[in-house]
Amino acid sequence: QVQLVESGGGLVQAGGSLRLSCAASGRTFTGAVMGWFRQAPGKEREFVAAIRWSGIIAYSADSAKGRFTISVDNAKNTVYLQMNNLKPEDTAVYYCAARLRPGSLTLLEYDYWGQGTQVTVSS
């Protein structure tokens, strides 16, 4: 079965950085779209960024542009989210997601989800 396992979350001070990892397994992800979402306590799940497994073309939310970078290492079957200049409002559980069906990176419909990793940014 497809599995997505996030790691790399933790507690950091505002202005700090974290690199989240999403280990993907269970099938070949060629052609897949991989995404990062986050959900803060009491709030709806929010899209952060997406990338094609090929690494060609990426798309990110306005809140992530300039601070967050999504990337993929095909050899390691891992998707990353580099988060810089973190702010308290970035505090959330971050989820990795995969969509195996073709489609635009702007589509927010995904088939598989990881368990999430907590990111807490203190002021």
Side-chain angles (χ1 to χ4, degrees):
Q1 298 287 353
V2 171
Q3 285 189 297
L4 305 174
V5 181
E6 304 95 334
S7 62
L11 174 64
V12 298
Q13 292 185 329
S17 300
L18 283 174
R19 188 191 193 192
L20 306 184
S21 298
C22 172
S25 63
R27 64 148 286 162
T28 299
F29 286 84
T30 303
V33 174
M34 309 298 295
W36 284 99
F37 291 77
R38 67 186 184 185
Q39 186 168 21
K43 298 184 178 180
E44 296 293 322
R45 186 177 60 198
E46 175 187 17
F47 171 76
V48 177
I51 191 170
R52 295 193 182 280
W53 189 257
S54 65
I56 300 175
I57 206 61
Y59 170 73
S60 61
D62 289 341
S63 62
K65 294 179 179 177
R67 298 191 300 126
F68 296 0
T69 302
I70 187 171
S71 62
V72 60
D73 186 336
N74 302 128
K76 296 182 178 180
N77 279 6
T78 302
V79 180
Y80 302 97
L81 184 68
Q82 178 67 48
M83 305 186 294
N84 299 323
N85 192 24
L86 285 162
K87 304 174 181 179
E89 51 263 44
D90 295 319
T91 295
V93 176
Y94 283 71
Y95 297 92
C96 178
R99 183 177 73 244
L100 305 184
R101 297 166 294 171
S104 172
L105 270 63
T106 62
L107 295 178
L108 304 182
E109 301 172 353
Y110 287 78
D111 302 309
Y112 303 97
W113 297 83
Q115 84 288 349
T117 184
Q118 177 71 49
V119 172
T120 302
V121 184
S122 62
S123 60

